[in-house]
Amino acid sequence: MHAILKALVLTQLLWLAGCAVKAPAPSQARADEAPMYGGVDRSAAAQLRASDEKLAAEAVAAFGSAVKASQAWVEQGYRYYRADQLGMAMRRFNQAWLLNPDNPEVYAGFAAVLHDQRKFCQAMSMMDRAVSLNPPSFQGIYADAGRIAARCAAEDKTLPPEARVAATARSDEWYRKGEAVEPDKGYLYASWATAYYWRGQYGEAWAMVFKARAAGGTPSSKFVEMLRAKMPEPASP
């Protein structure tokens, strides 16, 4: 019963937070659909400051602390993300950021949305911030960071060569860190396989697929077919 009441409180607070500031016209870019509100100094605008203070006060009253409230908003953000409602997801991650800017999952959430918007290098920057805040090792953040960095290196054609090399090195660094601390090795190796794929290193990608399977992971069947189209599956690891 307590959990149901808390869910109802969260729903009400989210509705109020969404209504507190007048939505912009459809032709305008929404600041709340950019990470950290696009860098806007919300404390400088009286209406925004009042809205944020009201959100924080009500959230703390409902959840007991800003840290717990931030986590509730992150979870709501991921529900929208999984439903492919990226704008709503970003708004919730922004509200979570207001409540606790030291929450690493907020920046991982920003990165997830940016990744799906194909803004891979911006997503890499957000994962860098997430990792710098010592995220929990059980959530796969290092594996996700490694994949995002690999896609930044492979797909952003505006990157100069030295930046591409740096992003690739960062990808390897994050995967090695994940291999050392993350318990779900199947997920990590499956992700690592995709990083090698984006680099065009198909033999290494297959090696990671085999390691993922050996660790109990199940690489995406769509990805495996994409890899087979580039290189036939080896008979054995």
Side-chain angles (χ1 to χ4, degrees):
M1 183 66 176
H2 181 68
I4 294 173
L5 289 173
K6 183 167 284 191
L8 290 172
V9 170
L10 174 60
T11 300
Q12 183 179 34
L13 288 175
L14 291 171
W15 183 82
L16 288 171
C19 294
V21 179
K22 184 179 179 181
S27 60
Q28 294 177 301
R30 292 191 60 126
D32 59 356
E33 292 184 3
M36 297 173 288
Y37 295 96
V40 172
D41 181 5
R42 295 174 67 84
S43 66
Q47 183 184 13
L48 294 177
R49 184 174 64 253
S51 171
D52 293 346
E53 289 172 352
K54 185 174 187 290
L55 168 68
E58 292 178 340
V60 170
F63 293 93
S65 73
V67 169
K68 291 179 181 177
S70 175
Q71 196 58 35
W73 259 254
V74 164
E75 292 166 6
Q76 180 79 2
Y78 274 112
R79 282 195 285 273
Y80 280 118
Y81 174 74
R82 287 189 290 270
D84 201 30
Q85 297 183 47
L86 300 184
M88 288 298 297
M90 189 67 87
R91 290 180 227 172
R92 296 301 175 248
F93 292 135
N94 270 321
Q95 289 164 343
W97 173 75
L98 284 175
L99 292 163
N100 180 18
D102 293 325
N103 184 349
E105 293 182 72
V106 168
Y107 300 100
F110 289 152
V113 175
L114 291 168
H115 172 276
D116 284 20
Q117 293 172 337
R118 302 189 65 81
K119 300 173 183 177
F120 300 118
C121 293
Q122 291 180 48
M124 184 181 76
S125 177
M126 289 296 150
M127 291 305 291
D128 200 12
R129 299 185 71 158
V131 169
S132 74
L133 293 168
N134 299 313
S137 62
F138 59 83
Q139 292 174 331
I141 284 180
Y142 292 102
D144 293 342
R147 183 178 63 252
I148 286 170
R151 296 207 69 178
C152 170
E155 299 201 30
D156 189 334
K157 305 307 181 185
T158 68
L159 284 181
E162 61 272 17
R164 197 177 309 281
V165 169
T168 299
R170 181 62 59 86
S171 175
D172 287 337
E173 174 189 345
W174 280 336
Y175 276 120
R176 286 193 296 268
K177 175 68 173 179
E179 189 174 30
V181 303
E182 290 188 359
D184 190 348
K185 297 296 191 291
Y187 179 80
L188 183 132
Y189 291 134
S191 175
W192 209 337
T194 68
Y196 279 122
Y197 175 90
W198 293 115
R199 296 181 202 172
Q201 296 176 256
Y202 306 122
E204 288 84 351
W206 276 120
M208 286 298 169
V209 167
F210 289 134
K211 291 184 76 169
R213 290 169 176 167
T218 307
S220 159
S221 58
K222 181 179 179 180
F223 168 71
V224 171
E225 287 305 312
M226 288 169 58
L227 183 54
R228 285 188 181 126
K230 297 293 185 179
M231 175 182 172
E233 182 171 352
S236 61

